Amino acid sequence: EAGVTQFPSHSVIEKGQTVTLRCDPISGHDNLYWYRRVMGKEIKFLLHFVKESKQDESGMPNNRFLAERTGGTYSTLKVQPAELEDSGVYFCASSRLTGGSYEQYFGPGTRLTVT
Amino acid sequence: RKEVEQDPGPFNVPEGATVAFNCTYSNSASQSFFWYRQDCRKEPKLLMSVYSSGNEDGRFTAQLNRASQYISLLIRDSKLSDSATYLCVVNIKYGNKLVFGAGTILRVKS
């Protein structure tokens, strides 16, 4: 079974530019989550999709961040315009919707550097 | 106060040693608990879920004390390959967001 995949693995952009991160969850996982780790801090939740619906977006830092999951498969996270404090590693995770302990499996992350 | 607190370490231990990590969480309504392992510049990988009755997976034993809101991880016969950051993770409600501790660094030396 293929794991969670994320693209790109690295992105370096200038302040004010736009970046779009992509996540492909494990096949059959209806729950999809975005998390972020900024330097020196713990991993923090951003938002949670159940299929194509946003279940919880309480962790989104501000309206410069837009997440979508059209069709309930892959998800994108767009940052526009990027600021210096957006630098960090963005992780995507997925889990089954029912019938288990809802263990979340993480992708390799996208390392975003805003200069 | 952080929602999940861990001793950051580092714990420096020789090969073959037994080492224990502890973690406390603040939300008494938390429903599920996990230990994840994270290698340098890699993603967190699920090590084990933690059950109220305690559970063991090979050299790893996890314990949960709901009354004290305390989780532990015991590693026996440490290997060099166990060197990593161990993340204590709590799920307030099944299927919802995970809340991470800052992690405990383990270094196993020969």
Side-chain angles (χ1 to χ4, degrees):
Chain A
E1 179 181 75
V4 178
T5 58
Q6 292 187 245
F7 182 84
S9 57
H10 294 84
S11 181
V12 181
I13 60 172
E14 293 183 354
K15 177 181 171 180
Q17 290 186 320
T18 297
V19 63
T20 300
L21 314 181
R22 173 172 169 145
C23 168
D24 286 77
I26 293 170
S27 178
H29 282 194
D30 288 324
N31 283 313
L32 187 150
Y33 311 82
W34 284 98
Y35 294 87
R36 177 174 73 171
R37 183 171 210 160
V38 297
M39 178 107 49
K41 302 279 189 179
E42 61 269 28
I43 296 171
K44 292 277 197 189
F45 167 80
L46 295 177
L47 89 160
H48 170 204
F49 284 101
V50 176
K51 298 185 181 179
E52 67 276 8
S53 299
K54 289 177 185 173
Q55 177 79 8
D56 179 359
E57 50 186 330
S58 62
M60 295 286 262
N62 51 61
N63 59 10
R64 296 185 293 103
F65 289 73
L66 176 63
E68 295 181 323
R69 192 182 182 196
T70 307
T73 54
Y74 71 91
S75 174
T76 58
L77 179 65
K78 182 192 289 189
V79 185
Q80 179 183 32
E83 298 288 344
L84 298 178
E85 64 264 25
D86 301 333
S87 295
V89 183
Y90 289 77
F91 291 107
C92 176
S94 70
S95 73
R96 295 188 185 282
L97 187 58
T98 59
S101 63
Y102 306 100
E103 293 167 347
Q104 295 184 24
Y105 296 91
F106 282 74
T110 294
R111 186 170 297 274
L112 175 65
T113 302
V114 183
T115 62
Chain B
R1 182 188 172 188
K2 290 186 178 181
E3 292 185 78
V4 178
E5 301 237 33
Q6 294 183 252
D7 180 346
F11 285 62
N12 295 301
V13 303
E15 275 186 288
T18 295
V19 62
F21 305 138
N22 303 318
C23 159
T24 57
Y25 59 95
S26 61
N27 191 329
S28 60
S30 299
Q31 294 186 332
S32 53
F33 309 88
F34 308 93
W35 284 101
Y36 278 76
R37 169 198 168 124
Q38 188 172 27
D39 293 284
C40 188
R41 300 177 79 85
K42 298 286 188 180
E43 73 272 24
K45 288 191 187 293
L46 180 64
L47 182 64
M48 58 199 301
S49 301
V50 187
Y51 304 116
S52 296
S53 54
N55 47 299
E56 186 174 307
D57 182 1
R59 298 182 293 108
F60 300 84
T61 300
Q63 299 272 355
L64 168 65
N65 183 321
R66 284 187 183 270
S68 302
Q69 296 177 209
Y70 171 98
I71 307 162
S72 66
L73 176 68
L74 183 78
I75 305 175
R76 289 181 299 278
D77 188 22
S78 298
K79 313 289 185 192
L80 293 175
S81 56
D82 293 334
S83 297
T85 297
Y86 289 82
L87 302 169
C88 178
V89 184
V90 171
N91 196 201
I92 308 301
K93 182 180 174 185
Y94 291 122
N96 285 6
K97 66 181 182 183
L98 298 179
V99 180
F100 284 79
T104 298
I105 297 170
L106 173 64
R107 297 182 185 138
V108 182
K109 303 193 183 234
S110 58

